[in-house]
Amino acid sequence: MTASATASANHGPHDAGSGASVSAVTAAAYTVPTDAPEADGTFAWDSTTVVVVHASAAGATGVGYTYGPAALVGLVTGLLAPAVRGADAFAVPAAAESMSRALRNVGQLGAGAYAASAVDCALWDLAARLAGLPLHDLLGAARHEVPVYGSGGFTSYTDARLAAQLGGWRSQGIPRVKIKIGQDRGAAEARDVERVGLARKAVGPDVELFVDANGAYTPKQAVRIAEPLRDADVRWFEEPVSSEDLAGLRFVRERVAPDVAAGEYLTRLAEAERMCAEGAVDCLQADVTRCGGITRWLRVAAVAAAHGVGFSGHCAPAISAAPAAAAVGLRHLEWFHDHVRLEGMLFDGTLDPAGGTIAPDADAPGNGLTLRAADAERFRVA
């Protein structure tokens, strides 16, 4: 379906020059228990909270979200909503600047960036719905299908559950998978090596195998652990050390065979630029629900391209699909078990990764997502 046909099917596009302004921004938080205890090298959890934002203008409503504490609801409604209310609904970068100014004395990093991300994503969805366009078309599509990698393999899993999860992704045709290592903050090296071997056995020789230590190791420890991983042909080593330790990341990158990746906690362009300029990564990551939303996520992708390093989307695949389709240098997007499950439980319009890619809906305006309010209500915490 062409853009004009799509617009017609959705009652016609709003004229971008007619001055549609943001009339309301609301937020709610939902906490969903995991389907089993989950843990990585440095953290453990048994539930996930998503903060969902709706932004409205001229009879249309856009949706965005972030994964973070329920306290973000107050930050959205009390600080960010007044900053964007009345703004031109098609001028999302201007709204992003307004939110940044509103956060100046509160904190533009961490919780502030997470809250702004949810609003920014909702505003981009709103603009696309007003225009009667799929969001990836409004952003400027670089591809129609987005490569994904299966991600989970938590350190809390039994061997049987680990094998079943990885084998399930393989049966779907996903050609790359990732597991967590760095168990017990890096204190269980032998177990890490054993689990990597189990993962390779579960997926066979033709599936790429990634590992994520979540910053659990020291630099020399990460180099040491990479040696026995050669037998499993590990291709991707995510956060072998803390993402704040750029010198440590560079030390590891210069000494191991897998690509070193980091960046999931970036919230400023300057942080992304420093990570690339320091030679800390082979592939820069960014999370659209953390870094400042779609506006900044695409800018981070441009920073990676300018430095000649790879770029990968972190988590939240349902809301990342459209911007991922618009990022020219994208390597892949994380199909993270926890988020995939939650998004499927709460939203209509999630996508199918069969064959190893997801394709944003060419016939749906905006990001294609709709919160199922009745299903979500039992999980509401704010």
Side-chain angles (χ1 to χ4, degrees), residues 244-282:
E244 296 180 355
D245 183 4
L246 299 186
L249 285 169
R250 185 177 65 249
F251 178 90
V252 177
R253 180 183 177 231
E254 291 172 347
R255 290 164 174 80
V256 304
D259 282 355
V260 169
E264 65 186 72
Y265 297 109
L266 295 174
T267 55
R268 283 186 170 177
L269 281 180
E271 294 173 316
E273 201 284 328
R274 280 195 294 270
M275 187 168 278
C276 292
E278 289 288 334
V281 293
D282 296 290

PDB file of all heavy atoms in Angstrom, residues 244-282:
ATOM      1  N   GLU A 244      30.986   2.249  31.862  1.00  0.00           N
ATOM      2  CA  GLU A 244      31.605   3.508  32.273  1.00  0.00           C
ATOM      3  C   GLU A 244      33.129   3.459  32.178  1.00  0.00           C
ATOM      4  O   GLU A 244      33.797   4.498  32.226  1.00  0.00           O
ATOM      5  CB  GLU A 244      31.191   3.844  33.708  1.00  0.00           C
ATOM      6  CG  GLU A 244      29.694   4.100  33.859  1.00  0.00           C
ATOM      7  CD  GLU A 244      29.308   4.428  35.285  1.00  0.00           C
ATOM      8  OE1 GLU A 244      30.184   4.360  36.170  1.00  0.00           O
ATOM      9  OE2 GLU A 244      28.128   4.769  35.508  1.00  0.00           O
ATOM     10  N   ASP A 245      33.676   2.268  32.040  1.00  0.00           N
ATOM     11  CA  ASP A 245      35.132   2.082  31.979  1.00  0.00           C
ATOM     12  C   ASP A 245      35.577   2.020  30.517  1.00  0.00           C
ATOM     13  O   ASP A 245      35.795   0.939  29.969  1.00  0.00           O
ATOM     14  CB  ASP A 245      35.504   0.805  32.729  1.00  0.00           C
ATOM     15  CG  ASP A 245      37.008   0.559  32.774  1.00  0.00           C
ATOM     16  OD1 ASP A 245      37.781   1.424  32.292  1.00  0.00           O
ATOM     17  OD2 ASP A 245      37.410  -0.506  33.284  1.00  0.00           O
ATOM     18  N   LEU A 246      35.711   3.174  29.900  1.00  0.00           N
ATOM     19  CA  LEU A 246      36.056   3.197  28.477  1.00  0.00           C
ATOM     20  C   LEU A 246      37.450   2.646  28.226  1.00  0.00           C
ATOM     21  O   LEU A 246      37.686   1.951  27.230  1.00  0.00           O
ATOM     22  CB  LEU A 246      35.935   4.622  27.934  1.00  0.00           C
ATOM     23  CG  LEU A 246      34.533   5.260  28.023  1.00  0.00           C
ATOM     24  CD1 LEU A 246      34.524   6.608  27.314  1.00  0.00           C
ATOM     25  CD2 LEU A 246      33.466   4.341  27.457  1.00  0.00           C
ATOM     26  N   ALA A 247      38.382   2.951  29.110  1.00  0.00           N
ATOM     27  CA  ALA A 247      39.730   2.408  28.950  1.00  0.00           C
ATOM     28  C   ALA A 247      39.712   0.888  29.073  1.00  0.00           C
ATOM     29  O   ALA A 247      40.425   0.179  28.339  1.00  0.00           O
ATOM     30  CB  ALA A 247      40.675   3.021  29.986  1.00  0.00           C
ATOM     31  N   GLY A 248      38.889   0.376  30.003  1.00  0.00           N
ATOM     32  CA  GLY A 248      38.774  -1.064  30.162  1.00  0.00           C
ATOM     33  C   GLY A 248      38.143  -1.728  28.948  1.00  0.00           C
ATOM     34  O   GLY A 248      38.585  -2.797  28.506  1.00  0.00           O
ATOM     35  N   LEU A 249      37.117  -1.111  28.411  1.00  0.00           N
ATOM     36  CA  LEU A 249      36.505  -1.643  27.190  1.00  0.00           C
ATOM     37  C   LEU A 249      37.511  -1.682  26.046  1.00  0.00           C
ATOM     38  O   LEU A 249      37.582  -2.671  25.300  1.00  0.00           O
ATOM     39  CB  LEU A 249      35.291  -0.794  26.794  1.00  0.00           C
ATOM     40  CG  LEU A 249      34.009  -0.974  27.614  1.00  0.00           C
ATOM     41  CD1 LEU A 249      33.000   0.111  27.268  1.00  0.00           C
ATOM     42  CD2 LEU A 249      33.398  -2.354  27.384  1.00  0.00           C
ATOM     43  N   ARG A 250      38.264  -0.602  25.900  1.00  0.00           N
ATOM     44  CA  ARG A 250      39.274  -0.573  24.836  1.00  0.00           C
ATOM     45  C   ARG A 250      40.337  -1.655  25.058  1.00  0.00           C
ATOM     46  O   ARG A 250      40.756  -2.327  24.115  1.00  0.00           O
ATOM     47  CB  ARG A 250      39.924   0.801  24.761  1.00  0.00           C
ATOM     48  CG  ARG A 250      40.907   0.928  23.592  1.00  0.00           C
ATOM     49  CD  ARG A 250      41.492   2.328  23.484  1.00  0.00           C
ATOM     50  NE  ARG A 250      42.306   2.654  24.644  1.00  0.00           N
ATOM     51  CZ  ARG A 250      41.969   3.557  25.563  1.00  0.00           C
ATOM     52  NH1 ARG A 250      40.811   4.207  25.466  1.00  0.00           N
ATOM     53  NH2 ARG A 250      42.755   3.806  26.584  1.00  0.00           N
ATOM     54  N   PHE A 251      40.771  -1.825  26.304  1.00  0.00           N
ATOM     55  CA  PHE A 251      41.744  -2.867  26.637  1.00  0.00           C
ATOM     56  C   PHE A 251      41.238  -4.228  26.187  1.00  0.00           C
ATOM     57  O   PHE A 251      41.965  -5.013  25.562  1.00  0.00           O
ATOM     58  CB  PHE A 251      41.992  -2.855  28.153  1.00  0.00           C
ATOM     59  CG  PHE A 251      42.939  -3.913  28.637  1.00  0.00           C
ATOM     60  CD1 PHE A 251      44.296  -3.649  28.714  1.00  0.00           C
ATOM     61  CD2 PHE A 251      42.473  -5.163  29.039  1.00  0.00           C
ATOM     62  CE1 PHE A 251      45.184  -4.634  29.168  1.00  0.00           C
ATOM     63  CE2 PHE A 251      43.341  -6.146  29.489  1.00  0.00           C
ATOM     64  CZ  PHE A 251      44.698  -5.882  29.556  1.00  0.00           C
ATOM     65  N   VAL A 252      39.977  -4.539  26.493  1.00  0.00           N
ATOM     66  CA  VAL A 252      39.404  -5.823  26.106  1.00  0.00           C
ATOM     67  C   VAL A 252      39.258  -5.904  24.590  1.00  0.00           C
ATOM     68  O   VAL A 252      39.630  -6.907  23.963  1.00  0.00           O
ATOM     69  CB  VAL A 252      38.044  -6.042  26.792  1.00  0.00           C
ATOM     70  CG1 VAL A 252      37.402  -7.348  26.322  1.00  0.00           C
ATOM     71  CG2 VAL A 252      38.200  -6.045  28.308  1.00  0.00           C
ATOM     72  N   ARG A 253      38.751  -4.860  23.984  1.00  0.00           N
ATOM     73  CA  ARG A 253      38.502  -4.869  22.535  1.00  0.00           C
ATOM     74  C   ARG A 253      39.779  -5.167  21.752  1.00  0.00           C
ATOM     75  O   ARG A 253      39.749  -5.866  20.728  1.00  0.00           O
ATOM     76  CB  ARG A 253      37.931  -3.521  22.110  1.00  0.00           C
ATOM     77  CG  ARG A 253      37.642  -3.415  20.619  1.00  0.00           C
ATOM     78  CD  ARG A 253      37.141  -2.032  20.236  1.00  0.00           C
ATOM     79  NE  ARG A 253      36.941  -1.945  18.808  1.00  0.00           N
ATOM     80  CZ  ARG A 253      37.436  -0.982  18.033  1.00  0.00           C
ATOM     81  NH1 ARG A 253      38.181  -0.025  18.565  1.00  0.00           N
ATOM     82  NH2 ARG A 253      37.193  -0.978  16.740  1.00  0.00           N
ATOM     83  N   GLU A 254      40.892  -4.643  22.221  1.00  0.00           N
ATOM     84  CA  GLU A 254      42.157  -4.811  21.503  1.00  0.00           C
ATOM     85  C   GLU A 254      42.748  -6.206  21.663  1.00  0.00           C
ATOM     86  O   GLU A 254      43.713  -6.548  20.973  1.00  0.00           O
ATOM     87  CB  GLU A 254      43.162  -3.769  21.984  1.00  0.00           C
ATOM     88  CG  GLU A 254      42.797  -2.345  21.573  1.00  0.00           C
ATOM     89  CD  GLU A 254      43.695  -1.292  22.212  1.00  0.00           C
ATOM     90  OE1 GLU A 254      44.437  -1.647  23.169  1.00  0.00           O
ATOM     91  OE2 GLU A 254      43.657  -0.133  21.763  1.00  0.00           O
ATOM     92  N   ARG A 255      42.158  -7.032  22.532  1.00  0.00           N
ATOM     93  CA  ARG A 255      42.781  -8.308  22.870  1.00  0.00           C
ATOM     94  C   ARG A 255      41.884  -9.524  22.661  1.00  0.00           C
ATOM     95  O   ARG A 255      42.339 -10.655  22.900  1.00  0.00           O
ATOM     96  CB  ARG A 255      43.255  -8.270  24.335  1.00  0.00           C
ATOM     97  CG  ARG A 255      44.437  -7.330  24.534  1.00  0.00           C
ATOM     98  CD  ARG A 255      44.646  -7.007  26.008  1.00  0.00           C
ATOM     99  NE  ARG A 255      45.862  -6.213  26.211  1.00  0.00           N
ATOM    100  CZ  ARG A 255      45.933  -4.897  26.014  1.00  0.00           C
ATOM    101  NH1 ARG A 255      44.843  -4.227  25.619  1.00  0.00           N
ATOM    102  NH2 ARG A 255      47.070  -4.253  26.201  1.00  0.00           N
ATOM    103  N   VAL A 256      40.628  -9.334  22.269  1.00  0.00           N
ATOM    104  CA  VAL A 256      39.737 -10.479  22.096  1.00  0.00           C
ATOM    105  C   VAL A 256      39.233 -10.556  20.664  1.00  0.00           C
ATOM    106  O   VAL A 256      39.213  -9.552  19.935  1.00  0.00           O
ATOM    107  CB  VAL A 256      38.546 -10.421  23.076  1.00  0.00           C
ATOM    108  CG1 VAL A 256      39.038 -10.334  24.519  1.00  0.00           C
ATOM    109  CG2 VAL A 256      37.609  -9.260  22.758  1.00  0.00           C
ATOM    110  N   ALA A 257      38.810 -11.762  20.269  1.00  0.00           N
ATOM    111  CA  ALA A 257      38.315 -11.967  18.908  1.00  0.00           C
ATOM    112  C   ALA A 257      36.890 -11.466  18.685  1.00  0.00           C
ATOM    113  O   ALA A 257      36.596 -10.891  17.635  1.00  0.00           O
ATOM    114  CB  ALA A 257      38.414 -13.447  18.549  1.00  0.00           C
ATOM    115  N   PRO A 258      35.959 -11.668  19.638  1.00  0.00           N
ATOM    116  CA  PRO A 258      34.581 -11.209  19.388  1.00  0.00           C
ATOM    117  C   PRO A 258      34.499  -9.684  19.316  1.00  0.00           C
ATOM    118  O   PRO A 258      35.322  -8.977  19.901  1.00  0.00           O
ATOM    119  CB  PRO A 258      33.799 -11.731  20.598  1.00  0.00           C
ATOM    120  CG  PRO A 258      34.663 -12.765  21.228  1.00  0.00           C
ATOM    121  CD  PRO A 258      36.072 -12.365  20.938  1.00  0.00           C
ATOM    122  N   ASP A 259      33.492  -9.195  18.641  1.00  0.00           N
ATOM    123  CA  ASP A 259      33.201  -7.763  18.671  1.00  0.00           C
ATOM    124  C   ASP A 259      32.781  -7.361  20.076  1.00  0.00           C
ATOM    125  O   ASP A 259      31.967  -8.043  20.714  1.00  0.00           O
ATOM    126  CB  ASP A 259      32.066  -7.420  17.696  1.00  0.00           C
ATOM    127  CG  ASP A 259      32.538  -7.355  16.253  1.00  0.00           C
ATOM    128  OD1 ASP A 259      33.749  -7.478  16.015  1.00  0.00           O
ATOM    129  OD2 ASP A 259      31.680  -7.191  15.370  1.00  0.00           O
ATOM    130  N   VAL A 260      33.318  -6.256  20.555  1.00  0.00           N
ATOM    131  CA  VAL A 260      32.940  -5.720  21.862  1.00  0.00           C
ATOM    132  C   VAL A 260      31.850  -4.676  21.650  1.00  0.00           C
ATOM    133  O   VAL A 260      31.973  -3.785  20.792  1.00  0.00           O
ATOM    134  CB  VAL A 260      34.157  -5.107  22.585  1.00  0.00           C
ATOM    135  CG1 VAL A 260      33.716  -4.304  23.813  1.00  0.00           C
ATOM    136  CG2 VAL A 260      35.115  -6.215  22.997  1.00  0.00           C
ATOM    137  N   ALA A 261      30.782  -4.782  22.437  1.00  0.00           N
ATOM    138  CA  ALA A 261      29.632  -3.887  22.308  1.00  0.00           C
ATOM    139  C   ALA A 261      29.283  -3.293  23.661  1.00  0.00           C
ATOM    140  O   ALA A 261      29.455  -3.928  24.701  1.00  0.00           O
ATOM    141  CB  ALA A 261      28.428  -4.639  21.749  1.00  0.00           C
ATOM    142  N   ALA A 262      28.781  -2.057  23.642  1.00  0.00           N
ATOM    143  CA  ALA A 262      28.292  -1.388  24.844  1.00  0.00           C
ATOM    144  C   ALA A 262      27.509  -0.163  24.407  1.00  0.00           C
ATOM    145  O   ALA A 262      27.548   0.242  23.243  1.00  0.00           O
ATOM    146  CB  ALA A 262      29.448  -0.995  25.777  1.00  0.00           C
ATOM    147  N   GLY A 263      26.790   0.439  25.360  1.00  0.00           N
ATOM    148  CA  GLY A 263      26.069   1.675  25.068  1.00  0.00           C
ATOM    149  C   GLY A 263      24.626   1.688  25.481  1.00  0.00           C
ATOM    150  O   GLY A 263      23.943   2.697  25.310  1.00  0.00           O
ATOM    151  N   GLU A 264      24.122   0.602  26.074  1.00  0.00           N
ATOM    152  CA  GLU A 264      22.693   0.525  26.374  1.00  0.00           C
ATOM    153  C   GLU A 264      22.226   1.572  27.380  1.00  0.00           C
ATOM    154  O   GLU A 264      21.037   1.878  27.448  1.00  0.00           O
ATOM    155  CB  GLU A 264      22.325  -0.860  26.878  1.00  0.00           C
ATOM    156  CG  GLU A 264      22.954  -1.236  28.199  1.00  0.00           C
ATOM    157  CD  GLU A 264      22.681  -2.675  28.585  1.00  0.00           C
ATOM    158  OE1 GLU A 264      23.255  -3.585  27.953  1.00  0.00           O
ATOM    159  OE2 GLU A 264      21.889  -2.884  29.513  1.00  0.00           O
ATOM    160  N   TYR A 265      23.152   2.128  28.175  1.00  0.00           N
ATOM    161  CA  TYR A 265      22.773   3.129  29.175  1.00  0.00           C
ATOM    162  C   TYR A 265      23.065   4.559  28.727  1.00  0.00           C
ATOM    163  O   TYR A 265      22.904   5.496  29.520  1.00  0.00           O
ATOM    164  CB  TYR A 265      23.502   2.851  30.493  1.00  0.00           C
ATOM    165  CG  TYR A 265      23.134   1.523  31.104  1.00  0.00           C
ATOM    166  CD1 TYR A 265      24.054   0.474  31.120  1.00  0.00           C
ATOM    167  CD2 TYR A 265      21.871   1.302  31.638  1.00  0.00           C
ATOM    168  CE1 TYR A 265      23.716  -0.759  31.663  1.00  0.00           C
ATOM    169  CE2 TYR A 265      21.529   0.077  32.180  1.00  0.00           C
ATOM    170  CZ  TYR A 265      22.453  -0.948  32.191  1.00  0.00           C
ATOM    171  OH  TYR A 265      22.118  -2.176  32.721  1.00  0.00           O
ATOM    172  N   LEU A 266      23.482   4.754  27.494  1.00  0.00           N
ATOM    173  CA  LEU A 266      23.781   6.096  27.002  1.00  0.00           C
ATOM    174  C   LEU A 266      22.523   6.963  27.013  1.00  0.00           C
ATOM    175  O   LEU A 266      21.448   6.532  26.592  1.00  0.00           O
ATOM    176  CB  LEU A 266      24.326   6.038  25.581  1.00  0.00           C
ATOM    177  CG  LEU A 266      25.674   5.336  25.374  1.00  0.00           C
ATOM    178  CD1 LEU A 266      25.979   5.238  23.885  1.00  0.00           C
ATOM    179  CD2 LEU A 266      26.788   6.067  26.103  1.00  0.00           C
ATOM    180  N   THR A 267      22.668   8.208  27.471  1.00  0.00           N
ATOM    181  CA  THR A 267      21.546   9.140  27.446  1.00  0.00           C
ATOM    182  C   THR A 267      21.918  10.477  26.811  1.00  0.00           C
ATOM    183  O   THR A 267      21.051  11.333  26.659  1.00  0.00           O
ATOM    184  CB  THR A 267      21.010   9.398  28.869  1.00  0.00           C
ATOM    185  OG1 THR A 267      22.079   9.847  29.709  1.00  0.00           O
ATOM    186  CG2 THR A 267      20.406   8.126  29.463  1.00  0.00           C
ATOM    187  N   ARG A 268      23.187  10.657  26.440  1.00  0.00           N
ATOM    188  CA  ARG A 268      23.614  11.897  25.794  1.00  0.00           C
ATOM    189  C   ARG A 268      24.471  11.590  24.579  1.00  0.00           C
ATOM    190  O   ARG A 268      25.223  10.606  24.559  1.00  0.00           O
ATOM    191  CB  ARG A 268      24.416  12.763  26.769  1.00  0.00           C
ATOM    192  CG  ARG A 268      23.562  13.505  27.778  1.00  0.00           C
ATOM    193  CD  ARG A 268      24.408  14.442  28.602  1.00  0.00           C
ATOM    194  NE  ARG A 268      23.590  15.335  29.422  1.00  0.00           N
ATOM    195  CZ  ARG A 268      24.093  16.216  30.279  1.00  0.00           C
ATOM    196  NH1 ARG A 268      25.408  16.337  30.410  1.00  0.00           N
ATOM    197  NH2 ARG A 268      23.288  16.988  30.984  1.00  0.00           N
ATOM    198  N   LEU A 269      24.388  12.457  23.580  1.00  0.00           N
ATOM    199  CA  LEU A 269      25.215  12.279  22.392  1.00  0.00           C
ATOM    200  C   LEU A 269      26.694  12.315  22.735  1.00  0.00           C
ATOM    201  O   LEU A 269      27.499  11.588  22.154  1.00  0.00           O
ATOM    202  CB  LEU A 269      24.899  13.364  21.360  1.00  0.00           C
ATOM    203  CG  LEU A 269      23.644  13.182  20.515  1.00  0.00           C
ATOM    204  CD1 LEU A 269      23.507  14.357  19.552  1.00  0.00           C
ATOM    205  CD2 LEU A 269      23.688  11.872  19.745  1.00  0.00           C
ATOM    206  N   ALA A 270      27.063  13.180  23.688  1.00  0.00           N
ATOM    207  CA  ALA A 270      28.470  13.286  24.065  1.00  0.00           C
ATOM    208  C   ALA A 270      28.994  11.968  24.606  1.00  0.00           C
ATOM    209  O   ALA A 270      30.168  11.612  24.367  1.00  0.00           O
ATOM    210  CB  ALA A 270      28.654  14.395  25.097  1.00  0.00           C
ATOM    211  N   GLU A 271      28.165  11.215  25.322  1.00  0.00           N
ATOM    212  CA  GLU A 271      28.580   9.915  25.830  1.00  0.00           C
ATOM    213  C   GLU A 271      28.833   8.950  24.679  1.00  0.00           C
ATOM    214  O   GLU A 271      29.806   8.186  24.690  1.00  0.00           O
ATOM    215  CB  GLU A 271      27.507   9.348  26.752  1.00  0.00           C
ATOM    216  CG  GLU A 271      27.284  10.124  28.032  1.00  0.00           C
ATOM    217  CD  GLU A 271      26.100   9.607  28.811  1.00  0.00           C
ATOM    218  OE1 GLU A 271      25.038   9.337  28.196  1.00  0.00           O
ATOM    219  OE2 GLU A 271      26.230   9.461  30.024  1.00  0.00           O
ATOM    220  N   ALA A 272      27.949   8.965  23.691  1.00  0.00           N
ATOM    221  CA  ALA A 272      28.115   8.098  22.527  1.00  0.00           C
ATOM    222  C   ALA A 272      29.377   8.473  21.758  1.00  0.00           C
ATOM    223  O   ALA A 272      30.142   7.593  21.325  1.00  0.00           O
ATOM    224  CB  ALA A 272      26.889   8.203  21.616  1.00  0.00           C
ATOM    225  N   GLU A 273      29.615   9.771  21.604  1.00  0.00           N
ATOM    226  CA  GLU A 273      30.791  10.223  20.864  1.00  0.00           C
ATOM    227  C   GLU A 273      32.072   9.810  21.581  1.00  0.00           C
ATOM    228  O   GLU A 273      33.025   9.337  20.942  1.00  0.00           O
ATOM    229  CB  GLU A 273      30.737  11.746  20.701  1.00  0.00           C
ATOM    230  CG  GLU A 273      31.591  12.287  19.558  1.00  0.00           C
ATOM    231  CD  GLU A 273      33.074  12.313  19.885  1.00  0.00           C
ATOM    232  OE1 GLU A 273      33.429  12.505  21.070  1.00  0.00           O
ATOM    233  OE2 GLU A 273      33.894  12.145  18.956  1.00  0.00           O
ATOM    234  N   ARG A 274      32.085   9.956  22.907  1.00  0.00           N
ATOM    235  CA  ARG A 274      33.281   9.571  23.662  1.00  0.00           C
ATOM    236  C   ARG A 274      33.542   8.074  23.564  1.00  0.00           C
ATOM    237  O   ARG A 274      34.694   7.644  23.419  1.00  0.00           O
ATOM    238  CB  ARG A 274      33.130   9.979  25.134  1.00  0.00           C
ATOM    239  CG  ARG A 274      33.415  11.444  25.396  1.00  0.00           C
ATOM    240  CD  ARG A 274      33.609  11.707  26.882  1.00  0.00           C
ATOM    241  NE  ARG A 274      32.392  11.474  27.651  1.00  0.00           N
ATOM    242  CZ  ARG A 274      31.472  12.407  27.889  1.00  0.00           C
ATOM    243  NH1 ARG A 274      31.632  13.638  27.415  1.00  0.00           N
ATOM    244  NH2 ARG A 274      30.398  12.126  28.603  1.00  0.00           N
ATOM    245  N   MET A 275      32.493   7.269  23.652  1.00  0.00           N
ATOM    246  CA  MET A 275      32.665   5.825  23.571  1.00  0.00           C
ATOM    247  C   MET A 275      33.274   5.420  22.235  1.00  0.00           C
ATOM    248  O   MET A 275      34.157   4.549  22.169  1.00  0.00           O
ATOM    249  CB  MET A 275      31.323   5.125  23.798  1.00  0.00           C
ATOM    250  CG  MET A 275      31.417   3.621  23.906  1.00  0.00           C
ATOM    251  SD  MET A 275      29.881   2.851  24.503  1.00  0.00           S
ATOM    252  CE  MET A 275      30.061   3.098  26.283  1.00  0.00           C
ATOM    253  N   CYS A 276      32.827   6.070  21.170  1.00  0.00           N
ATOM    254  CA  CYS A 276      33.369   5.764  19.851  1.00  0.00           C
ATOM    255  C   CYS A 276      34.780   6.329  19.686  1.00  0.00           C
ATOM    256  O   CYS A 276      35.688   5.644  19.199  1.00  0.00           O
ATOM    257  CB  CYS A 276      32.457   6.325  18.766  1.00  0.00           C
ATOM    258  SG  CYS A 276      30.853   5.526  18.641  1.00  0.00           S
ATOM    259  N   ALA A 277      34.980   7.569  20.097  1.00  0.00           N
ATOM    260  CA  ALA A 277      36.270   8.229  19.918  1.00  0.00           C
ATOM    261  C   ALA A 277      37.372   7.548  20.716  1.00  0.00           C
ATOM    262  O   ALA A 277      38.544   7.550  20.294  1.00  0.00           O
ATOM    263  CB  ALA A 277      36.169   9.698  20.316  1.00  0.00           C
ATOM    264  N   GLU A 278      37.021   6.955  21.857  1.00  0.00           N
ATOM    265  CA  GLU A 278      38.005   6.256  22.692  1.00  0.00           C
ATOM    266  C   GLU A 278      38.341   4.863  22.147  1.00  0.00           C
ATOM    267  O   GLU A 278      39.178   4.167  22.718  1.00  0.00           O
ATOM    268  CB  GLU A 278      37.473   6.124  24.116  1.00  0.00           C
ATOM    269  CG  GLU A 278      37.419   7.427  24.889  1.00  0.00           C
ATOM    270  CD  GLU A 278      38.806   7.926  25.275  1.00  0.00           C
ATOM    271  OE1 GLU A 278      39.726   7.092  25.400  1.00  0.00           O
ATOM    272  OE2 GLU A 278      38.964   9.139  25.420  1.00  0.00           O
ATOM    273  N   GLY A 279      37.703   4.462  21.060  1.00  0.00           N
ATOM    274  CA  GLY A 279      37.958   3.134  20.513  1.00  0.00           C
ATOM    275  C   GLY A 279      37.491   2.027  21.425  1.00  0.00           C
ATOM    276  O   GLY A 279      38.077   0.932  21.458  1.00  0.00           O
ATOM    277  N   ALA A 280      36.409   2.286  22.185  1.00  0.00           N
ATOM    278  CA  ALA A 280      35.968   1.351  23.215  1.00  0.00           C
ATOM    279  C   ALA A 280      35.112   0.213  22.679  1.00  0.00           C
ATOM    280  O   ALA A 280      34.981  -0.819  23.350  1.00  0.00           O
ATOM    281  CB  ALA A 280      35.200   2.108  24.298  1.00  0.00           C
ATOM    282  N   VAL A 281      34.500   0.387  21.509  1.00  0.00           N
ATOM    283  CA  VAL A 281      33.552  -0.614  21.019  1.00  0.00           C
ATOM    284  C   VAL A 281      33.721  -0.865  19.531  1.00  0.00           C
ATOM    285  O   VAL A 281      34.154   0.011  18.769  1.00  0.00           O
ATOM    286  CB  VAL A 281      32.082  -0.183  21.284  1.00  0.00           C
ATOM    287  CG1 VAL A 281      31.786  -0.166  22.775  1.00  0.00           C
ATOM    288  CG2 VAL A 281      31.767   1.164  20.648  1.00  0.00           C
ATOM    289  N   ASP A 282      33.369  -2.074  19.141  1.00  0.00           N
ATOM    290  CA  ASP A 282      33.213  -2.402  17.722  1.00  0.00           C
ATOM    291  C   ASP A 282      31.799  -2.101  17.262  1.00  0.00           C
ATOM    292  O   ASP A 282      31.567  -1.841  16.084  1.00  0.00           O
ATOM    293  CB  ASP A 282      33.503  -3.885  17.489  1.00  0.00           C
ATOM    294  CG  ASP A 282      34.931  -4.265  17.806  1.00  0.00           C
ATOM    295  OD1 ASP A 282      35.831  -3.849  17.062  1.00  0.00           O
ATOM    296  OD2 ASP A 282      35.137  -4.963  18.817  1.00  0.00           O
TER     297      ASP A 282
END
